[in-house]
Amino acid sequence: MLDTDAIWANRLAAYPDRFDAPDLTGQAVDVPTHVELIGRAGVLIGGIDCVVTMEHDGDDWEIAAIAYRSEFGGPGHDFDAPRLRSRPPDGTLADLAEREILRLVDGQYNALADAATAEARAA
């Protein structure tokens, strides 16, 4: 079970002026990241370079959109994260890839939120 007090203590330790700092509500920041798609038996399928659009809702950052491009080249693609979360899977390869990329990006949430905060404060 998650200890929310410990989570908030870590976030406040990272940003002790969190409540006194400039209001970030409505800010949108693009944060670059990279994820690795791993197949069965731990086989690397490929790396994906992403730009994650983070939007601040007044309380914390939300992953709003993800634009990605395979490190092998080819066309890029982007998708709306909240809409993908709210609709059922359609079984297409594109849908499966987007859901896996979103899952991997979600795993980097704290680092992305920290980078978005630093960038928004610097602007």
Side-chain angles (χ1 to χ4, degrees), residues 48-97:
I48 306 289
D49 292 321
C50 304
V51 175
V52 180
T53 301
M54 304 287 287
E55 293 179 351
H56 202 284
D57 66 5
D59 290 322
D60 214 343
W61 293 100
E62 175 183 312
I63 297 172
I66 300 172
Y68 66 92
R69 181 182 195 99
S70 168
E71 65 186 10
F72 301 115
H77 186 66
D78 64 321
F79 61 90
D80 179 280
R83 188 173 47 173
L84 181 65
R85 291 182 209 273
S86 67
R87 70 174 166 80
D90 65 16
T92 64
L93 182 58
D95 184 71
L96 292 171

Side-chain angles (χ1 to χ4, degrees), residues 5-116:
D5 289 337
I7 293 169
W8 278 109
N10 286 338
R11 297 293 283 171
L12 290 173
Y15 298 103
D17 62 343
R18 178 181 172 97
F19 297 109
D20 299 325
D23 184 14
L24 299 178
T25 302
Q27 293 274 351
V29 177
D30 290 334
V31 180
T33 192
H34 183 84
V35 296
E36 300 286 338
L37 294 177
I38 308 293
R40 293 182 186 186
V43 176
L44 175 66
I45 295 173
I48 306 289
D49 292 321
C50 304
V51 175
V52 180
T53 301
M54 304 287 287
E55 293 179 351
H56 202 284
D57 66 5
D59 290 322
D60 214 343
W61 293 100
E62 175 183 312
I63 297 172
I66 300 172
Y68 66 92
R69 181 182 195 99
S70 168
E71 65 186 10
F72 301 115
H77 186 66
D78 64 321
F79 61 90
D80 179 280
R83 188 173 47 173
L84 181 65
R85 291 182 209 273
S86 67
R87 70 174 166 80
D90 65 16
T92 64
L93 182 58
D95 184 71
L96 292 171
E98 288 174 359
R99 289 179 188 281
E100 181 63 8
I101 290 168
L102 179 58
R103 185 188 71 77
L104 294 168
V105 167
D106 276 340
Q108 298 179 10
Y109 174 81
N110 285 340
L112 293 168
D114 290 346

